[in-house]
Amino acid sequence: MPNRYRTSHNVGENNLRIFGMDIHHPVFAASASLIIIFVVMTLLFPTNAKLAFDSAKNFSINRFDWLFTISGNFFVVFCAVLVVLPFSKIRLGGCDAKPEFTTFSWLNMLFAAGMGIGLMFWSVAEPIGYYTNWSGTPLNVEAQTKGAEVLAMGATIFHWGLHPWAVYTVVALSLAFFTYNKKMPLTIRSGFYPILKDNSWGILGHVIDIIAVMATIFGLATSLGFGAKQAAGGLHYLYGFDNDIGTQLAIIVLVTSLATISVVRGLDGGVKVLSNLNIIFALLLLFFVIFAGPTMPIVKNISNSIIGYVENFIPLSNWIDRKDKAFYHGWTVFYWAWWISWSPFVGMFIARVSYGRTIREFIIAVMIIPTLVTTAWMGAFGGTALFQFKEKIGSIANGITSVELSLFQVLEQLPMAPFISLLSVILILCFFVTSSDSGSLVIDSITAGGKLDAPIPQRVFWAVMEGLIAIALLVGGGRDALGALRAAAISVGLPFSAILLLLCICLILGIWHEYRFNFSKKKKLCKSRAC
């Protein structure tokens, strides 16, 4: 049996070529139309839209909390089992495949696209919020106690560690495997071929890809809008810039312009370069905080983070008869829905840059290494914030008064505060640029029928579209409109959680096909190297 599945159709073979773009017309047209309709209706009725989508989000989170939690736990176990099976020796792209990027650049790209900006936003606010019972404490621990400190850090790592990266791993591995080993288009629908067969290229496949496009662009536009508010707030707090709509729009235009330049330059000249710069700036900031801040409390806090994570992994993973409903629904289930809704974007981008890696190498890199980096990052920034709170140092001693400013409130108490705060603003903007350009490349691929390199005009179209959506919502509806968009993106997590569970079944069927009919017969040929 050939390495490629037998299929009667290639999803991108009948694309339309217009205005220099290579359009897979059912997905492109439907996605663009639905996005425009959504934005227009949100601008006309921002408050009503927010209420409607908040209701959908709350329904998903409150009624299906068990599904999100079970799914998240299953993905972690699924990846852990998969990494120790003989299947894990299979190489993405075949025995002779060589990685397209160095390990350093590869890790930087997947991390920058995955959650780099979130770590800047929540590294202070989340630990302090849990410790002070700002909006519920994990497992109903008594606030501002030693146990609360350990659990606050453990819960933070829980939300940013293995579970979200397992979600990304499932999507990314599935897409990478079916694209590089089964020679299928790089698009979400390809992962379902073992079950849907040629129906993957029909209406069902179109629907899957359209949902993926909308979830991606809504999530990116939301992050860009709220990120502009955070950056503008930081500039106002630090340097006195006006924190008004003009400053926020200037930030969006700057980020969108840089993202557009990056997508035009492609993976090698754009995303890879920016991702490498991001990680260098991030490491400089991390080491500065560790050594210029309260070093010993930070080291102790990193240790507490690991202890709290390990000790409370199972209790925090439980969904039965939770007593801490405010924390469980408001944080854990919310995060799981958010990670799942972002998984088409992040997973497809990770798949795009992971050619040539073995399945075992892939899972370890995508799950374990980001979790370790996240632990160090949250431990350093969260530890510094907790130290300042307990010692009554600076503005953070009053608790969380503004999520957008919490990071800058901590940094202003460190040496070289103006410079290090400016570096933080630059890093925030850089992370937004890498998220925007990597997201544009993903949407390009889906709307081009899964082609790896869409034409430049098509890349520019989607990069600019993200910025225009954020600007339109920010100007026309403000926080209500952006909130509606975020609620809509999170609501997508409910159907996608079931879709990802089905994707796991398809991945196992595909890997078994590869192992049985190709890999096992090539043992002698591949004996001298991993396959």
Side-chain angles (χ1 to χ4, degrees), residues 401-434:
T401 56
S402 169
V403 173
E404 290 86 355
L405 298 180
S406 58
L407 172 64
F408 302 109
Q409 290 171 339
V410 168
L411 293 179
E412 73 175 349
Q413 302 302 318
L414 301 181
M416 301 172 59
F419 170 76
I420 209 67
S421 296
L422 178 61
L423 177 62
S424 299
V425 172
I426 294 173
L427 187 56
I428 288 170
L429 295 177
C430 286
F431 273 128
F432 272 118
V433 172
T434 52

Side-chain angles (χ1 to χ4, degrees), residues 361-385:
E361 179 186 10
F362 181 95
I363 294 176
I364 291 174
V366 176
M367 279 188 64
I368 305 301
I369 294 178
T371 299
L372 295 176
V373 174
T374 297
T375 301
W377 185 275
M378 293 295 194
F381 286 85
T384 303

Side-chain angles (χ1 to χ4, degrees), residues 28-339:
F28 187 100
S31 300
S33 299
L34 289 172
I35 289 168
I36 291 171
I37 292 171
F38 179 90
V39 171
V40 169
M41 296 302 294
T42 300
L43 289 175
L44 291 175
F45 311 102
T47 303
N48 292 338
K50 186 175 186 300
L51 289 173
F53 285 107
D54 275 344
S55 297
K57 179 194 72 175
N58 293 333
F59 174 80
S60 299
I61 289 176
N62 294 330
R63 294 294 184 89
F64 292 91
D65 52 356
W66 56 273
L67 177 60
F68 286 117
T69 307
I70 291 174
S71 299
N73 295 339
F74 175 79
F75 297 142
V76 172
V77 174
F78 177 80
C79 293
V81 171
L82 195 60
V83 79
V84 299
L85 293 176
F87 302 154
S88 61
K89 295 179 181 179
I90 294 175
R91 188 174 294 277
L92 299 174
C95 291
D96 297 321
K98 303 295 182 185
E100 186 178 357
F101 303 99
T102 65
T103 300
F104 178 75
S105 294
W106 176 50
L107 293 174
N108 292 346
M109 284 190 286
L110 68 89
F111 190 79
M115 56 180 60
I117 188 61
L119 298 183
M120 297 293 295
F121 197 84
W122 291 105
S123 57
V124 168
E126 200 164 336
I128 289 291
Y130 298 160
Y131 180 70
T132 60
N133 193 19
W134 176 52
S135 60
T137 57
L139 304 180
N140 278 349
V141 66
E142 184 180 351
Q144 299 188 38
T145 61
K146 178 62 179 176
E149 183 177 355
V150 173
L151 194 51
M153 293 309 307
T156 301
I157 304 305
F158 179 74
H159 290 153
W160 295 83
L162 292 177
H163 280 78
W165 287 102
V167 173
Y168 294 161
T169 298
V170 166
V171 178
L173 181 58
S174 176
L175 296 179
F177 174 79
F178 284 104
T179 298
Y180 300 132
N181 293 74
K182 297 304 182 185
K183 313 305 178 187
M184 292 187 172
L186 180 60
T187 183
I188 302 293
R189 69 178 78 199
S190 295
F192 297 93
Y193 185 83
I195 292 178
L196 297 181
K197 302 301 182 185
D198 280 351
N199 290 324
S200 299
W201 321 131
I203 294 177
L204 283 176
H206 297 338
V207 170
I208 291 171
D209 281 349
I210 290 167
I211 293 175
V213 170
M214 296 184 67
T216 297
I217 201 162
F218 285 171
L220 289 171
T222 302
S223 295
L224 188 55
F226 281 112
K229 286 180 171 291
Q230 183 193 22
L235 290 172
H236 172 73
Y237 184 79
L238 296 168
Y239 307 110
F241 283 85
D242 291 335
N243 186 9
D244 56 14
I245 191 69
T247 303
Q248 295 165 12
L249 293 183
I251 291 171
I252 292 176
V253 170
L254 174 63
V255 170
T256 302
S257 299
L258 293 175
T260 302
I261 294 171
S262 179
V263 296
V264 168
R265 291 175 59 86
L267 279 175
D268 266 317
V271 180
K272 185 182 78 172
V273 173
L274 283 175
S275 297
N276 289 342
L277 288 175
N278 278 352
I279 202 66
I280 292 171
F281 288 153
L283 289 175
L284 287 174
L285 183 60
L286 174 62
F287 287 127
F288 178 86
V289 170
I290 291 175
F291 292 109
T295 304
M296 291 311 298
I298 287 175
V299 172
K300 184 178 180 181
N301 195 265
I302 293 175
S303 174
N304 285 340
S305 301
I306 298 172
I307 293 171
Y309 184 39
V310 173
E311 287 183 345
N312 296 286
F313 187 89
I314 293 179
L316 290 171
S317 301
N318 175 50
W319 67 95
I320 301 174
D321 195 27
R322 290 286 292 257
K323 305 300 182 184
D324 54 342
K325 289 290 186 181
F327 169 82
Y328 176 53
H329 286 153
W331 289 98
T332 302
V333 183
F334 174 89
Y335 268 132
W336 278 200
W338 181 253
W339 301 136

Side-chain angles (χ1 to χ4, degrees), residues 12 14-26 28-29 32 447-448 451 454-462:
N14 295 318
N15 285 2
L16 292 176
R17 288 160 181 82
I18 183 172
F19 301 122
M21 296 190 287
D22 191 2
I23 297 172
H24 180 54
H25 52 91
F28 187 100
T447 56
K451 296 184 178 181
I456 289 177
Q458 194 157 334
R459 303 182 209 171
V460 172
F461 174 85
W462 287 111

